[in-house]
Amino acid sequence: MKIVDEKFNLLQRFISWREKHITDKQFILVLSLLVGLFTALAAYVLKFLVEYIKEFLTENFDSTGANWLYLVYPVVGILLTSLFIRKVVRDDISHGVTKILYAISRKQSRIKRHNIWSSVCASAITIGMGGSVGAEAPIVLTGSAIGSNLGSIFRLDHKTLMLLVGCGAAGAVSGIFKAPIAGLVFTLEVLMIDLTMASLLPLLITSVTAASVSYLLTGTEAMFQFHLDYPFALERIPYAIALGIFCGLVAWYFTRAMNWIENIFRRYTNPYVKFVIGAAMLSILIFLFPPLYGEGYDTITLLLNGTSSTDWDTVMNNSFFYGHSSLLVVYLLLIILFKVFASSATNGGGGCGGIFAPSLFLGCIAGFVFSYVCNEFRIGDVFIPEKNFALMGMAGLMSGVMHAPLTGVFLIAELTGGYGLFLPLMIVSVCAYLTIIVFEPHSIYSMRLAKKGELITHHKDKAVLTMMNIESVMETNFLPVRPDMDLTEMVKVISKSTRNLFPVVEANGVLIGIVVLDDIRHFMFRQELYHRFYVDKFMRKPQERIYTNDSMEEVMHKFDKTGAWNLPVVDENNKYKGFVSKSKMLNTYRQVLVDFSAE
């Protein structure tokens, strides 16, 4: 206890010294550098663990036929992860990016401390043993948790915490992919952190620091080796547009199918039932289609560097399809079809992982299949380089699934060094994004929060409303009255109140009406009426009710629809909670807007 007190006093002294000698802006820059350093180290540890576990388990597999251990490893991995999360962590650590978005919009950017290490451990076990998900979303949550908790230690305000959360996410993407520009753009596009001069420099420092540490630890080579054998030609532009549309449709299928499968898993509350369903589905799919094992980066490397059917056919190694070259396209199309089932089964069954890697994996295969089919069936007179279009497909799928075309372009260019294809990468990314927004207005990360009205966006008005909540604008100093009270009792209540509204509630607390002082002012002092008039005779029905789970956008809509200045707040059982006034909302809105927009 004495040691804890000494550490606390030491921290207090440091905070006091820092406030006197180092400005907030200077201190944020120092913290952003530390966030980049710690996040890159966490990313390195996670990638090392995933690769080590995978190599240890699969290095002796026979490439000429099916391997029965593919049925075992994913089951054990999901079981161990599920037990670790439920018995050790005791918290939900899935949907990492969604959790960050929620923390920014609803919890003042505070992320639980265990996320610094729990996501790394859980995702390493899951992916290393075959879980068909990616390590990137967990490390993004880890990086954001590092930023959030580092800021909390030094008692920084929630605006600064939000920036450090963004720094952590940028550092995670930059560190794990060695892609500093993509890390910065991801934070702006996906997490929707506003780009201001106050936020740009810390984000850049974190991204560059994380990438530099990754270069020191793993070398300066791009994550995926890619050599541009066929420079982009103008006659391939129509094919790039068609590929973008195709990627957008595949992203739409992936998004819809994942939501559908996740909803099936949500029907079951017993974790062991979820485990049995998820593990069985995953192990069977990996047994039939080994490229679904883990992140699938080996398949991406193969398709980006292969030059002939002899190279491409090796994607069917370790499976029943081995040696059947004529079935290559069918095999890859089946993988596109079933990848979403494998990824959803991994997380639904109790595993931990994200959709970065599945997006890259599916995009690479989609681009390859598109170009391969065009060449095989001679669609047009132009040769379509398979490796180029596999690369472009990665950008297209990521843009579609995440609704982040800039992230898709810069990430793929930095991942592969494929800067010579920058123009077609942009074409495919934009076309994929324009295609999917016809069907899905929100990304796979944000749609859960958007349905609840809890999503921060770059639309300032909606963003400010999102950062407000019912509790912050609700007033409770209104005196309730009963419907059976006569005018005598009503006058006594009025004499004690400072408000001109009185909620009428039944004995069980249910709101049935409102008494407005102006409605009874002309007869409230006529004593001969005191025992003849009752509240239920002169109360009025509310023009509209605000429910405690309404979003602030819905609240504003109700005020606009009714033209009222005050509306009652009730819970889901119609029990009275308080009132919201338009003037209080506008004052709160203005204060949040000033705070939100401050440089």
Side-chain angles (χ1 to χ4, degrees):
M1 189 68 182
K2 185 177 179 181
I3 296 176
V4 173
D5 290 338
E6 289 178 356
K7 289 182 177 179
F8 179 77
N9 292 331
L10 183 63
L11 178 62
Q12 285 288 95
R13 289 199 296 270
F14 175 78
I15 292 174
S16 299
W17 177 86
R18 196 279 300 174
E19 290 174 345
K20 293 178 182 177
H21 297 87
I22 304 176
T23 66
D24 287 345
K25 288 186 177 180
Q26 293 172 335
F27 192 57
I28 290 171
L29 298 182
V30 174
L31 291 182
S32 64
L33 187 145
L34 293 177
V35 170
L37 173 64
F38 296 144
T39 303
L41 293 174
Y44 175 77
V45 170
L46 177 55
K47 293 295 287 185
F48 172 79
L49 290 174
V50 169
E51 289 300 319
Y52 179 81
I53 295 172
K54 178 185 174 183
E55 289 298 320
F56 178 77
L57 296 177
T58 63
E59 63 179 348
N60 295 319
F61 275 11
D62 179 17
S63 64
T64 62
N67 293 276
W68 295 99
L69 285 175
Y70 277 134
L71 291 170
V72 178
Y73 290 156
V75 175
V76 176
I78 291 180
L79 178 61
L80 291 176
T81 305
S82 178
L83 291 173
F84 170 75
I85 293 173
R86 287 189 289 112
K87 304 297 183 182
V88 179
V89 180
R90 297 181 181 179
D91 189 21
D92 178 20
I93 58 175
S94 62
H95 300 304
V97 177
T98 302
K99 282 190 172 299
I100 298 170
L101 288 169
Y102 182 77
I104 291 173
S105 66
R106 272 292 181 269
K107 292 187 176 179
Q108 296 189 325
S109 303
R110 298 188 184 277
I111 300 176
K112 293 181 180 178
R113 189 162 296 178
H114 69 74
N115 285 299
I116 294 174
W117 55 270
S118 58
S119 295
V120 172
C121 298
S123 57
I125 297 170
T126 299
I127 301 167
M129 301 195 74
S132 194
V133 286
E136 292 76 25
I139 203 62
V140 167
L141 179 59
T142 297
S144 294
I146 290 173
S148 175
N149 285 278
L150 199 57
S152 297
I153 289 174
F154 297 106
R155 298 175 185 173
L156 301 177
D157 60 80
H158 74 88
K159 271 181 57 184
T160 306
L161 289 183
M162 184 188 296
L163 177 57
L164 290 175
V165 165
C167 287
V173 174
S174 177
I176 203 163
F177 287 128
K178 294 193 280 191
I181 299 176
L184 173 64
V185 174
F186 170 82
T187 302
L188 302 177
E189 259 192 324
V190 179
L191 299 187
M192 302 178 192
I193 301 294
D194 265 7
L195 180 61
T196 64
M197 289 308 297
S199 64
L200 179 60
L201 191 54
L203 289 171
L204 280 173
I205 289 175
T206 301
S207 295
V208 171
T209 301
S212 300
V213 172
S214 293
Y215 285 146
L216 290 172
L217 295 174
T218 62
T220 58
E221 300 83 11
M223 186 171 175
F224 297 115
Q225 295 299 317
F226 176 79
H227 185 268
L228 184 61
D229 297 324
Y230 302 94
F232 187 70
L234 292 178
E235 58 265 24
R236 298 194 184 110
I237 288 180
Y239 295 91
I241 295 172
L243 175 61
I245 296 172
F246 178 60
C247 288
L249 294 174
V250 174
W252 177 48
Y253 161 74
F254 183 82
T255 302
R256 286 286 178 91
M258 177 162 283
N259 278 326
W260 177 68
I261 299 168
E262 286 182 349
N263 287 335
I264 293 176
F265 277 99
R266 289 193 191 101
R267 296 175 189 171
Y268 302 97
T269 55
N270 189 322
Y272 294 103
V273 173
K274 292 183 178 182
F275 161 72
V276 170
I277 297 173
M281 187 188 303
L282 178 64
S283 62
I284 292 172
L285 286 173
I286 290 178
F287 177 68
L288 296 174
F289 306 101
L292 296 178
Y293 188 103
E295 296 168 305
Y297 287 163
D298 291 341
T299 301
I300 293 176
T301 301
L302 170 64
L303 296 180
L304 289 181
N305 293 285
T307 56
S308 65
S309 296
T310 304
D311 296 327
W312 301 325
D313 289 345
T314 58
V315 77
M316 295 186 287
N317 286 0
N318 303 315
S319 74
F320 289 118
F321 289 80
Y322 178 81
H324 295 81
S325 301
S326 59
L327 297 178
L328 175 63
V329 172
V330 175
Y331 184 75
L332 293 177
L333 285 174
L334 289 173
I335 288 177
I336 292 176
L337 179 67
F338 289 118
K339 175 64 175 180
V340 64
F341 289 87
S343 297
S344 301
T346 302
N347 286 329
C352 178
I355 60 166
F356 263 91
S359 298
L360 296 174
F361 176 81
L362 275 182
C364 185
I365 294 177
F368 176 85
V369 168
F370 177 89
S371 56
Y372 188 88
V373 169
C374 286
N375 290 330
E376 283 293 306
F377 293 94
R378 292 181 172 82
I379 301 175
D381 298 325
V382 180
F383 171 68
I384 309 299
E386 287 87 355
K387 59 191 298 184
N388 288 14
F389 273 65
L391 181 76
M392 291 149 58
M394 293 166 68
L397 245 294
M398 177 156 286
S399 300
V401 172
M402 298 185 183
H403 284 216
L406 288 177
T407 301
V409 171
F410 285 105
L411 179 61
I412 304 309
E414 290 183 291
L415 267 178
T416 62
Y419 293 99
L421 295 175
F422 216 78
L423 176 61
L425 284 174
M426 293 176 68
I427 293 172
V428 173
S429 294
V430 170
C431 291
Y433 174 69
L434 292 177
T435 300
I436 195 170
I437 60 173
V438 174
F439 307 101
E440 291 289 352
H442 299 287
S443 73
I444 198 168
Y445 292 135
S446 61
M447 58 176 51
R448 301 178 186 91
L449 298 181
K451 289 176 183 177
K452 301 177 183 178
E454 297 172 343
L455 176 64
I456 291 285
T457 71
H458 286 300
H459 189 296
K460 275 284 174 65
D461 182 58
K462 291 183 178 180
V464 171
L465 287 175
T466 300
M467 299 184 77
M468 296 167 59
N469 54 56
I470 298 291
E471 290 76 18
S472 66
V473 295
M474 185 172 68
E475 299 174 80
T476 57
N477 60 339
F478 293 82
L479 299 181
V481 296
R482 301 189 313 275
D484 58 348
M485 290 172 61
D486 61 17
L487 189 54
T488 304
E489 295 173 290
M490 183 73 220
V491 171
K492 291 179 181 178
V493 174
I494 293 173
S495 67
K496 299 176 183 177
S497 176
T498 58
R499 312 303 296 257
N500 63 350
L501 290 177
F502 302 87
V504 182
V505 298
E506 295 180 328
N508 58 3
V510 173
L511 178 77
I512 61 172
I514 299 171
V515 173
V516 181
L517 186 59
D518 287 344
D519 291 347
I520 63 172
R521 196 184 300 276
H522 63 287
F523 61 81
M524 62 181 286
F525 296 112
R526 295 178 60 183
Q527 296 187 8
E528 70 273 14
L529 302 177
Y530 276 17
H531 298 294
R532 293 171 55 188
F533 277 76
Y534 291 86
V535 168
D536 61 352
K537 298 300 182 183
F538 50 75
M539 72 180 185
R540 64 167 70 171
K541 287 189 176 181
Q543 294 172 275
E544 186 63 86
R545 296 167 192 257
I546 295 173
Y547 292 90
T548 51
N549 57 356
D550 280 351
S551 68
M552 294 308 294
E553 202 168 348
E554 291 172 315
V555 173
M556 285 298 294
H557 176 70
K558 290 178 178 180
F559 273 109
D560 291 339
K561 183 177 70 173
T562 61
W565 278 94
N566 296 276
L567 288 175
V569 181
V570 297
D571 63 14
E572 63 274 8
N573 297 315
N574 275 318
K575 291 187 176 181
Y576 167 76
K577 294 297 180 182
F579 273 87
V580 172
S581 69
K582 186 182 289 187
S583 58
K584 178 69 177 288
M585 276 201 66
L586 293 175
N587 287 335
T588 305
Y589 177 93
R590 183 180 181 280
Q591 184 58 46
V592 175
L593 179 63
V594 170
D595 188 49
F596 183 72
S597 303
E599 183 66 29

